[in-house]
Amino acid sequence: MSSLEQPANIKLCVLLEKSPSETLEKLKKAYGNDAMKNTAVYEWHKRFREGRTNIEEVTRTGRPSSSIADENAERVREIVHNGQTH
């Protein structure tokens, strides 16, 4: 299954005027445990309902969230190691 298959199917459901819950139900029936999570389905449904036509995920700018998490973890280690409270 391609990563664009489910967004394409969500787009089709929007064009067929299916509700977000109907769309989610159809994806779960078609893909089982591989279906997108509820929040992702509702978000894609909303995007298409608001006029989005592109089924590809938008590339985000900036650092990946994992790099920020790594920096935070390192800062916590420094604080614990140095015994700082502030």
Side-chain angles (χ1 to χ4, degrees), residues 18-19 28 30 34 44 50 53 61-62 67 70 72 76 81 86:
K18 301 296 179 191
S19 71
K28 285 183 177 181
D34 292 328
W44 275 105
E50 291 174 347
T53 57
T61 58
S67 69
D70 291 344
N72 289 340
V76 169
H81 178 69
H86 290 101

Short mmCIF file of all heavy atoms in Angstrom, two decimals, residues 18-19 28 30 34 44 50 53 61-62 67 70 72 76 81 86:
data_model
loop_
_atom_site.label_atom_id
_atom_site.label_comp_id
_atom_site.label_asym_id
_atom_site.label_seq_id
_atom_site.Cartn_x
_atom_site.Cartn_y
_atom_site.Cartn_z
N LYS A 18 -19.38 11.86 2.02
CA LYS A 18 -19.41 10.99 3.20
C LYS A 18 -18.92 11.81 4.40
O LYS A 18 -18.04 12.66 4.27
CB LYS A 18 -18.51 9.77 3.01
CG LYS A 18 -18.88 8.90 1.83
CD LYS A 18 -20.25 8.29 2.02
CE LYS A 18 -20.64 7.43 0.84
NZ LYS A 18 -22.03 7.04 0.88
N SER A 19 -19.46 11.53 5.56
CA SER A 19 -19.04 12.22 6.78
C SER A 19 -17.67 11.69 7.21
O SER A 19 -17.25 10.62 6.77
CB SER A 19 -20.06 11.99 7.90
OG SER A 19 -19.97 10.64 8.33
N LYS A 28 -11.37 1.65 7.96
CA LYS A 28 -11.13 0.54 8.89
C LYS A 28 -11.58 -0.78 8.28
O LYS A 28 -10.91 -1.80 8.44
CB LYS A 28 -11.84 0.79 10.21
CG LYS A 28 -11.15 1.83 11.07
CD LYS A 28 -11.85 1.99 12.41
CE LYS A 28 -11.10 2.98 13.29
NZ LYS A 28 -11.74 3.15 14.59
N ALA A 30 -11.66 -1.45 5.04
CA ALA A 30 -10.77 -1.75 3.93
C ALA A 30 -9.36 -2.12 4.37
O ALA A 30 -8.75 -3.03 3.81
CB ALA A 30 -10.72 -0.57 2.97
N ASP A 34 -4.22 -1.55 9.56
CA ASP A 34 -3.36 -0.62 8.83
C ASP A 34 -4.05 0.70 8.50
O ASP A 34 -3.46 1.57 7.86
CB ASP A 34 -2.85 -1.27 7.54
CG ASP A 34 -1.91 -2.42 7.81
OD1 ASP A 34 -1.17 -2.37 8.83
OD2 ASP A 34 -1.91 -3.38 7.02
N TRP A 44 -7.41 14.95 7.54
CA TRP A 44 -7.40 14.89 6.08
C TRP A 44 -8.79 15.23 5.53
O TRP A 44 -8.92 15.96 4.54
CB TRP A 44 -6.97 13.51 5.59
CG TRP A 44 -5.49 13.33 5.52
CD1 TRP A 44 -4.71 12.61 6.38
CD2 TRP A 44 -4.61 13.86 4.53
NE1 TRP A 44 -3.40 12.67 5.98
CE2 TRP A 44 -3.31 13.42 4.84
CE3 TRP A 44 -4.79 14.65 3.40
CZ2 TRP A 44 -2.20 13.77 4.07
CZ3 TRP A 44 -3.68 14.98 2.63
CH2 TRP A 44 -2.41 14.55 2.97
N GLU A 50 -12.25 21.61 2.93
CA GLU A 50 -11.94 23.04 2.84
C GLU A 50 -11.30 23.41 1.50
O GLU A 50 -10.88 24.55 1.33
CB GLU A 50 -11.04 23.44 4.00
CG GLU A 50 -11.76 23.39 5.34
CD GLU A 50 -10.85 23.66 6.53
OE1 GLU A 50 -9.61 23.65 6.38
OE2 GLU A 50 -11.40 23.87 7.63
N THR A 53 -6.62 19.96 -2.64
CA THR A 53 -6.69 18.99 -3.73
C THR A 53 -5.51 18.04 -3.73
O THR A 53 -5.61 16.93 -4.24
CB THR A 53 -6.78 19.70 -5.09
OG1 THR A 53 -5.64 20.55 -5.24
CG2 THR A 53 -8.05 20.51 -5.22
N THR A 61 8.87 22.92 7.31
CA THR A 61 10.17 23.56 7.40
C THR A 61 10.65 23.52 8.84
O THR A 61 9.88 23.28 9.76
CB THR A 61 10.09 25.02 6.93
OG1 THR A 61 9.14 25.71 7.73
CG2 THR A 61 9.69 25.10 5.47
N GLY A 62 11.91 23.78 9.02
CA GLY A 62 12.47 23.80 10.37
C GLY A 62 13.01 22.46 10.78
O GLY A 62 13.01 21.50 10.01
N SER A 67 14.70 16.42 16.93
CA SER A 67 15.93 17.13 17.28
C SER A 67 15.69 18.03 18.49
O SER A 67 16.56 18.18 19.34
CB SER A 67 16.45 17.95 16.10
OG SER A 67 15.61 19.04 15.82
N ASP A 70 15.60 15.78 21.51
CA ASP A 70 16.97 15.40 21.89
C ASP A 70 17.65 16.52 22.67
O ASP A 70 18.33 16.26 23.66
CB ASP A 70 17.80 15.06 20.64
CG ASP A 70 17.36 13.78 19.96
OD1 ASP A 70 16.63 12.99 20.60
OD2 ASP A 70 17.75 13.59 18.80
N ASN A 72 16.16 18.83 24.46
CA ASN A 72 15.52 18.89 25.78
C ASN A 72 16.04 17.80 26.70
O ASN A 72 16.30 18.04 27.88
CB ASN A 72 14.00 18.80 25.65
CG ASN A 72 13.40 20.05 25.04
OD1 ASN A 72 14.00 21.12 25.04
ND2 ASN A 72 12.20 19.91 24.51
N VAL A 76 18.01 18.29 30.28
CA VAL A 76 17.58 17.65 31.53
C VAL A 76 18.74 16.88 32.13
O VAL A 76 18.99 16.95 33.34
CB VAL A 76 16.36 16.73 31.29
CG1 VAL A 76 16.08 15.87 32.51
CG2 VAL A 76 15.13 17.57 30.94
N HIS A 81 22.71 16.24 36.30
CA HIS A 81 24.13 16.00 36.57
C HIS A 81 24.74 17.13 37.41
O HIS A 81 25.53 16.88 38.33
CB HIS A 81 24.90 15.86 35.26
CG HIS A 81 26.36 15.66 35.45
ND1 HIS A 81 26.88 14.51 35.99
CD2 HIS A 81 27.42 16.47 35.17
CE1 HIS A 81 28.20 14.62 36.05
NE2 HIS A 81 28.55 15.80 35.55
N HIS A 86 17.08 25.39 38.65
CA HIS A 86 16.47 26.38 37.75
C HIS A 86 17.21 26.41 36.47
O HIS A 86 18.34 26.41 36.32
CB HIS A 86 16.45 27.78 38.36
CG HIS A 86 15.48 27.86 39.50
ND1 HIS A 86 15.86 27.81 40.80
CD2 HIS A 86 14.15 27.99 39.53
CE1 HIS A 86 14.81 27.91 41.59
NE2 HIS A 86 13.75 28.02 40.81
#
